[in-house]
Amino acid sequence: FDISVQTIVIYDMRDNVFFARVVCQQKGAPDRFVEMDVRPSDAILLSLTMQKPIKVDPELWSRLTDVSDVLKSFKTA
């Protein structure tokens, strides 16, 4: 297919299950991008392996629970 991975997007969460897409660019066609649905675990591994960014949909981010206080409790323990 001669494509390159550009970024990973975590775009939704339903019933505590996340959904992700890999955004790829077709080489030789700088304006051609495609998205493929993938399991989030595979997307994260792909991102780490290929050193590509992971982006989270802002609307999804706003729905997630803030656990800052939980993390602070680990720092003092």
Side-chain angles (χ1 to χ4, degrees):
F1 293 106
D2 202 21
I3 60 174
S4 63
V5 173
Q6 296 301 303
T7 191
I8 306 300
V9 179
I10 310 296
Y11 68 93
D12 198 7
M13 179 183 70
R14 285 177 255 144
D15 299 322
N16 292 322
V17 175
F18 287 95
F19 294 84
R21 290 186 178 124
V22 175
V23 179
C24 300
Q25 181 180 23
Q26 187 172 8
K27 294 180 181 176
D31 296 330
R32 176 134 169 88
F33 292 88
V34 296
E35 294 180 335
M36 295 179 278
D37 284 322
V38 296
R39 292 184 299 188
S41 57
D42 293 337
I44 292 167
L45 180 62
L46 185 61
S47 171
L48 293 170
T49 302
M50 302 189 81
Q51 299 180 347
K52 298 296 179 177
I54 298 175
K55 298 179 180 178
V56 178
D57 180 273
E59 190 276 327
L60 171 62
W61 186 260
S62 69
R63 292 180 11 218
L64 299 176
T65 303
D66 183 352
V67 295
S68 300
D69 291 337
V70 174
L71 294 176
K72 287 176 188 174
S73 69
F74 284 111
K75 291 179 182 178
T76 59

